[in-house]
Amino acid sequence: MTDNQSVQNDDLIASFFESQPATISDEFRAGFVAIVGRPNVGKSTLMNHLLGQKLSITSRKPQTTRHRIHGILTDEDMQIVFVDTPGIHAKEVKAINERMNKAAVSALSDVDLVLFVVDGLQWREDDLLTLEKLSATSLPVVLVINKSDTVKDKSQMLPVIESFNESFDFADILPVSALRGHNLDRLKSVIGQFLPTRPPIFDPEQITDRSERFLASEIIREKIMRTSGDEVPYDLTVQIDTFKDEPAHKDPETGKWRRAVTFIDATIFVERAGQKTIVIGDKGSRIKQVGIEARQDMEKLFDRKIMLTLWVKVKKGWSDDERALNSLGY
């Protein structure tokens, strides 16, 4: 064995022992924390900024989140499993709205703490509906007043906080700005007080329990919602048809190594032909832009090269069809 090989082996051995998991303290805490509230109050943005990584898709449109998504934050003292939920809303105009509400409410069944997120000084009917759902549980609830940075006169928040406190026995009340990161460290500290003492629930390196297929479909849906403004309503969904990993390999023709790549084929379903035209855009410009932005986000999240192919199809009435919703994963 050469001296160089010996040094390499020593480095590998050292790297192995450095990568071994640290001993878990007897005081380590772990638990589930549901993030609930009406649509468009910043629940997904809050979870993403607490995690320090974008996991849930976001847009200015209400009801962007349609599924329960677990985001896992682990440090040396605790593991918080956030449960991001669809916005609770009163108007269940379609079957998909009913399922979204059920997904949000069912998240309350197996958690240790609830973060009830409201939007600054705005208090609306759907906030009251959410509070009504929380009143039916015995869970500790922390009121998170988001977008506090938009309130110029902070003294205006005091009577609002008092009003909130009179309406429910909150475990704590915290004004935050999810987007600006204001008071999030304090929020993490408060969360830790309500988590039971136990070992990590998930691998400390894990950031979610959702599959890459699911995350890919959500990224595509986000890009459509963001690039199409108000032109495309919420009755669109994305189905991943193919998700194939090709490992790094030597090209038999050129003899050069080709990097690992994942091939993804996805179908975007809309309900009307006019919506298909909007999603595709003039001469395919919009769907091309969606593909570029979605691929870039996937490569950042999955840490490998992505080859993405998108199709747009009309599936009439899918958002109000129970069988269609089942087949599309709702």
Side-chain angles (χ1 to χ4, degrees):
M1 179 183 294
T2 65
D3 291 341
N4 187 44
Q5 288 174 321
S6 177
V7 170
Q8 288 179 338
N9 286 343
D10 290 343
D11 288 342
L12 287 172
I13 292 170
S15 175
F16 172 80
F17 283 106
E18 286 174 0
S19 65
Q20 295 305 296
T23 302
I24 301 299
S25 166
D26 292 338
E27 301 300 317
F28 193 89
R29 294 172 176 265
F32 291 86
V33 178
I35 306 176
V36 304
R38 63 173 168 83
N40 213 28
V41 293
K43 298 183 298 298
S44 296
T45 300
L46 177 64
M47 186 179 80
N48 288 340
H49 282 263
L50 285 166
L51 293 174
Q53 179 168 342
K54 184 175 180 180
L55 187 62
S56 279
I57 67 172
T58 60
S59 81
R60 294 181 181 273
K61 298 187 177 80
Q63 300 172 25
T64 300
T65 300
R66 292 178 178 172
H67 306 266
R68 284 168 50 181
I69 300 175
H70 287 166
I72 305 165
L73 174 65
T74 308
D75 62 24
E76 60 184 13
D77 299 314
M78 62 182 172
Q79 181 177 86
I80 310 171
V81 184
F82 293 106
V83 187
D84 188 20
T85 63
I88 296 175
H89 52 288
K91 296 181 179 179
E92 295 183 351
V93 294
K94 294 183 178 181
I96 189 173
N97 299 105
E98 182 182 356
R99 293 200 178 198
M100 288 164 64
N101 272 343
K102 285 182 178 178
V105 174
S106 65
L108 303 175
S109 59
D110 293 306
V111 297
D112 302 288
L113 176 69
V114 176
L115 303 183
F116 174 32
V117 184
V118 296
D119 183 351
L121 301 179
Q122 302 180 40
W123 184 257
R124 299 179 182 174
E125 179 184 353
D126 285 342
D127 292 312
L128 297 174
L129 177 62
T130 305
L131 199 59
E132 180 183 322
K133 303 293 185 184
L134 294 175
S135 298
T137 76
S138 58
L139 294 166
V141 179
V142 172
L143 178 66
V144 179
I145 306 176
N146 192 23
K147 306 180 185 178
S148 61
D149 58 311
T150 63
V151 182
K152 294 182 180 180
D153 184 359
K154 302 303 181 185
S155 64
Q156 291 182 320
M157 299 192 70
L158 295 177
V160 175
I161 291 174
E162 289 179 5
S163 176
F164 285 150
N165 214 15
E166 291 173 359
S167 64
F168 190 89
D169 185 19
F170 291 106
D172 208 332
I173 299 177
L174 284 177
V176 307
S177 171
L179 193 60
R180 306 296 180 191
H182 172 67
N183 224 18
L184 296 191
D185 285 341
R186 169 62 180 156
L187 179 56
K188 290 179 188 177
S189 177
V190 169
I191 291 171
Q193 298 172 20
F194 293 92
L195 301 183
T197 302
R198 64 176 173 184
I201 302 164
F202 294 95
D203 186 307
E205 299 299 318
Q206 197 170 343
I207 62 168
T208 186
D209 62 343
R210 285 289 191 169
S211 69
E212 290 184 340
R213 291 178 71 104
F214 172 83
L215 296 175
S217 69
E218 287 287 273
I219 289 171
I220 295 166
R221 188 164 63 86
E222 178 193 59
K223 301 311 174 188
I224 299 169
M225 297 185 75
R226 284 177 172 269
T227 59
S228 54
D230 295 326
E231 296 172 289
V232 178
Y234 310 112
D235 43 1
L236 69 86
T237 193
V238 178
Q239 175 178 281
I240 302 298
D241 304 311
T242 304
F243 196 105
K244 181 180 179 182
D245 292 321
E246 182 180 279
H249 64 281
K250 184 179 290 187
D251 190 309
E253 295 183 1
T254 65
K256 295 181 178 180
W257 278 96
R258 298 175 64 93
R259 59 186 295 191
V261 61
T262 297
F263 294 89
I264 301 175
D265 292 343
T267 300
I268 301 161
F269 288 109
V270 294
E271 296 203 333
R272 298 188 298 275
Q275 296 169 351
K276 178 178 179 180
T277 301
I278 292 172
V279 171
I280 292 174
D282 183 34
K283 298 180 181 178
S285 58
R286 177 166 287 146
I287 195 66
K288 180 180 180 181
Q289 186 63 29
V290 166
I292 291 172
E293 294 183 8
R295 177 181 54 77
Q296 290 172 342
D297 273 18
M298 290 180 202
E299 289 183 341
K300 183 177 180 180
L301 182 61
F302 303 151
D303 194 26
R304 59 181 179 276
K305 183 175 177 60
I306 301 293
M307 297 294 290
L308 177 63
T309 304
L310 300 176
W311 308 89
V312 185
K313 294 182 180 180
V314 176
K315 192 179 184 71
K316 293 183 179 180
W318 72 265
S319 62
D320 204 24
D321 184 317
E322 298 289 352
R323 291 181 62 186
L325 289 170
N326 288 337
S327 67
L328 292 168
Y330 288 94

